[in-house]
Amino acid sequence: MKYPFLGVLMVVLCGCAGIRHGGAPKQSFDVNADLKALAKKYQEATKIEEFYAEPSDAKRNEFVSGRLVLINIRYIQFVREFTRERQFLDSAADLLMLSLNLAGAGTGSTEAKTILHSVAAGVGGAKVSIDKNYYFEKSIPALAAAMNAERAKVMVRIGEGMSKPLALYPLVDAIVDLQNYFEAGTFLGAINAIQADAGAKKAAADTEIALLKDLTPEDITGKQSLTRAVGALNDARKAAAITLLRSLGDALADDADLRTVKVKLQGKVRTARTPEQIADLAMKFKAANLLDATVNP
Amino acid sequence: MSDYLVEISGSTSLAQISLQVQGEEAGASEFKSSSVSFHGGRITNLATFSELDPGTVPEPITFLAHDAPLPTGAKIVWAGVMVVAGNTSALKASRR
């Protein structure tokens, strides 16, 4: 190459432009302005007094679909603030497209299609830097996925409602569902959904979760003594330990190995969680000569 | 050895949380973490413990407010949020 320096400079400058605009050319129009125009178009359809002037299924659906469009537009603007991940924007754009269909806009509308295409492509300027906290950034995919999932669930309910006559899905019910739809698209809504799901999974998987009870330092010392007695178990005391375990409901062979006996006996100590249970087990340990009588309790 | 869950009631005081966890550890277990969860129809704390070898008792563990000074020679073994006496609180657990 005759002018290697110039060649390198051109590559660097072209690369810099790509990096500055998120790896894509600068958008030729203002996506936010277009979303604003779309919102303005549907604003008029969502006035409650318009519905009550002449209530009907059609007026209700016009109100609901208009509100859905507005909520979805705001949601896309919100999501674009903290992520450019295609998968999350795609999902949000899908629901907006659905609500536009319901509102009669149709996916054939050139204006709507162009806006939605650029929204879904995630271009249009540098990502807004909101919070560089490491844990927040790691949470974004989970939060965005939860919001999209919860919004889709409520959208199904709204869609079913819109197919019912007014008497079965009155406007007040629709307004409640629209509010739930909005809240599903918030961080708090996502966190609640994640926690409820995690809690439900834990509850299903661990039906027997012991509730700890109040203990005194003396109770704790007593339980520690039992644990140390298990640790001190040797072959000479193994037979006594096996007899004790059998009296506590554990069937063990006479020739069970020492480690097995220790593990099982430790299990009994571990599950003694109230002062009464600890004291009762200590008495049984003493009776089996497994606990030094000079140690508590 | 395996991990398991126990519940620490959200109405428990901070001092009693320390005692209850020490009590559980007295049975040859080690506290690993706790999270605010929904279980049994209530918001509560679900704590994870690891079973230790028979006869093993860990060094005593103490739960403190997140901004409380650490006891001398102690190190933080866990930090997080628990429901304490009905309120959500940021805590840390320390052990020598």
Side-chain angles (χ1 to χ4, degrees):
Chain A
M1 184 184 279
K2 197 172 180 182
Y3 300 109
F5 174 73
L6 282 178
V8 168
L9 189 62
M10 282 179 65
V11 168
V12 168
L13 286 176
C14 292
C16 277
I19 291 167
R20 188 167 64 246
H21 294 293
K26 196 175 173 185
Q27 188 54 276
S28 53
F29 53 88
D30 186 342
V31 171
N32 281 332
D34 285 342
L35 285 173
K36 201 173 168 184
L38 208 56
K40 193 178 175 186
K41 178 180 173 178
Y42 291 96
Q43 198 79 44
E44 285 306 307
T46 65
K47 290 182 179 172
I48 292 183
E49 53 263 34
E50 289 277 331
F51 167 79
Y52 282 109
E54 202 178 334
S56 67
D57 294 4
K59 278 284 186 186
R60 174 204 62 196
N61 290 349
E62 190 181 329
F63 175 91
V64 172
S65 53
R67 283 279 172 105
L68 281 174
V69 168
L70 294 174
I71 293 171
N72 285 331
I73 286 170
R74 295 286 177 255
Y75 179 72
I76 286 181
Q77 288 172 318
F78 166 60
V79 171
R80 288 177 76 239
E81 288 290 309
F82 61 84
T83 184
R84 287 291 189 263
E85 294 276 337
R86 178 73 186 254
Q87 57 180 317
F88 304 124
L89 291 167
D90 274 353
S91 177
D94 284 346
L95 283 182
L96 175 54
M97 219 179 276
L98 176 61
S99 60
L100 285 169
N101 283 343
L102 289 171
T107 53
S109 158
T110 307
E111 179 191 21
K113 272 179 78 174
T114 308
I115 292 169
L116 294 175
H117 179 74
S118 58
V119 163
V123 299
K127 178 180 171 182
V128 173
S129 173
I130 43 171
D131 186 342
K132 288 302 179 184
N133 178 277
Y134 173 80
Y135 293 105
F136 176 75
E137 286 191 328
K138 287 293 179 187
S139 302
I140 286 173
L143 289 173
M147 286 194 291
N148 287 342
E150 291 306 303
R151 276 160 47 85
K153 275 188 211 169
V154 182
M155 185 68 161
V156 166
R157 204 160 64 229
I158 293 173
E160 285 171 355
M162 288 172 76
S163 67
K164 294 177 183 169
L166 193 58
L168 293 179
Y169 192 62
L171 185 70
V172 286
D173 286 359
I175 288 174
V176 169
D177 280 345
L178 285 167
Q179 181 60 24
N180 288 335
Y181 185 65
F182 166 76
E183 286 173 8
T186 64
F187 282 155
L188 188 58
I191 289 168
N192 287 340
I194 289 169
Q195 284 188 328
D197 182 55
K201 280 179 184 165
K202 270 195 172 148
D206 303 292
T207 52
E208 293 286 330
I209 297 181
L211 173 66
L212 296 189
K213 301 293 185 184
D214 285 358
L215 295 173
T216 64
E218 291 73 31
D219 297 324
I220 295 167
T221 305
K223 191 167 174 178
Q224 289 173 340
S225 298
L226 298 178
T227 293
R228 291 196 178 98
V230 172
L233 209 56
N234 52 28
D235 283 319
R237 292 183 171 185
K238 190 179 79 168
I242 290 174
T243 303
L244 173 57
L245 279 167
R246 285 174 181 159
S247 74
L248 295 173
D250 256 338
L252 245 73
D254 288 339
D255 61 352
D257 66 277
L258 184 60
R259 169 135 181 108
T260 300
V261 174
K262 281 185 170 187
V263 167
K264 291 226 177 259
L265 201 53
Q266 186 66 69
K268 298 298 179 188
V269 175
R270 186 173 289 121
T271 54
R273 292 191 167 104
T274 68
E276 296 76 22
Q277 288 169 342
I278 295 169
D280 181 66
L281 195 58
M283 278 178 54
K284 291 180 169 132
F285 264 61
K286 263 192 247 181
N289 288 321
L290 296 175
L291 183 67
D292 188 337
T294 60
V295 178
N296 280 336
Chain B
M1 309 304 271
S2 57
D3 288 356
Y4 63 94
L5 290 173
V6 296
E7 180 185 355
I8 299 174
S9 168
S11 61
T12 309
S13 68
L14 186 57
Q16 186 53 226
I17 285 175
S18 289
L19 288 174
Q20 288 186 9
V21 173
Q22 287 170 17
E24 188 64 22
E25 291 195 331
S29 293
E30 185 178 39
F31 172 85
K32 304 306 286 186
S33 64
S34 184
S35 60
V36 178
S37 306
F38 186 77
H39 174 70
R42 57 191 176 270
I43 302 293
T44 187
N45 304 298
L46 290 184
T48 303
F49 285 78
S50 282
E51 292 178 357
L52 300 175
D53 278 343
T56 309
V57 177
E59 288 294 317
I61 191 170
T62 306
F63 284 76
L64 310 158
H66 72 99
D67 53 358
L70 276 180
T72 309
K75 60 178 182 184
I76 297 175
V77 296
W78 174 82
V81 174
M82 290 184 77
V83 184
V84 181
N87 295 311
T88 310
S89 305
L91 302 180
K92 60 192 176 197
S94 71
R95 206 192 291 276
R96 279 197 174 77

